[in-house]
Amino acid sequence: EILHSPFKVPICDPTVVELSGSGLQYAVLGGDNTIDVCTRDSGPGELECAFVGDAGTPPIEAAITKLDETHCQIHYTPHAVGTYKATFKYGGHAVGMGANVSCCDPTKCKIEGLPAESLIVHHPFDFTIDSQEAGEGLLEVSVAMEKGAEVPHKIIRQLPHRNKVTFTPVVPGMCFIQV
């Protein structure tokens, strides 16, 4: 018998590790961006991740928070606009093909066409969002009345980085537009 035998060797299956969440595609500059990870049925192993940007781009540090035995979250905060290659490992082995994450700065978006005066009930209204200087990102818009009722709206892509938002108010009151 050999000294220290039997040897414990962990066996993992990185092919069943699941990554999800908007943080796999888009990130907000200076924000807490999140990727959800499920390691159910993948065996023992440690999760690792890295984010690499273009030359001269500051590195992104990521923190992994374990939620329970089979779930964790990756939190990261980019400090420069651009595209980052995200890679993931479980048990020292690659998980999938990685992801290209686009980081944007929503403070650089410009809103054009918001009224200085009030809108009129049942009259369609539109305004434009110019995100040319913000970088690639996920555009989300909500339109709601003061008591929280959502107002249906459409986002119409006019050009890359330029979108028109259209809605028709149906009741009087304060309307809140979140971009």
Side-chain angles (χ1 to χ4, degrees), residues 64-85:
I64 300 172
T65 304
K66 192 169 187 168
L67 302 175
D68 61 35
E69 288 303 311
T70 61
H71 294 89
C72 59
Q73 288 184 326
I74 300 169
H75 297 272
Y76 66 97
T77 304
H79 298 289
V81 171
T83 300
Y84 293 84
K85 176 68 177 176

Side-chain angles (χ1 to χ4, degrees), residues 78-97:
H79 298 289
V81 171
T83 300
Y84 293 84
K85 176 68 177 176
T87 56
F88 309 94
K89 289 184 178 183
Y90 187 74
H93 304 281
V95 173
M97 301 296 293

Side-chain angles (χ1 to χ4, degrees), residues 107-154:
T107 66
K108 303 282 184 185
C109 287
K110 296 176 186 159
I111 310 300
E112 302 166 355
L114 287 179
E117 303 290 321
S118 62
L119 301 178
I120 300 173
V121 173
H122 303 294
H123 284 76
F125 174 74
D126 62 66
F127 63 95
T128 303
I129 302 170
D130 181 344
S131 58
Q132 180 71 36
E133 296 175 19
E136 291 295 323
L138 179 63
L139 177 62
E140 294 178 338
V141 176
S142 71
V143 181
M145 296 306 291
E146 60 191 325
K147 295 193 181 192
E150 286 289 320
V151 177
H153 60 281
K154 292 181 188 173

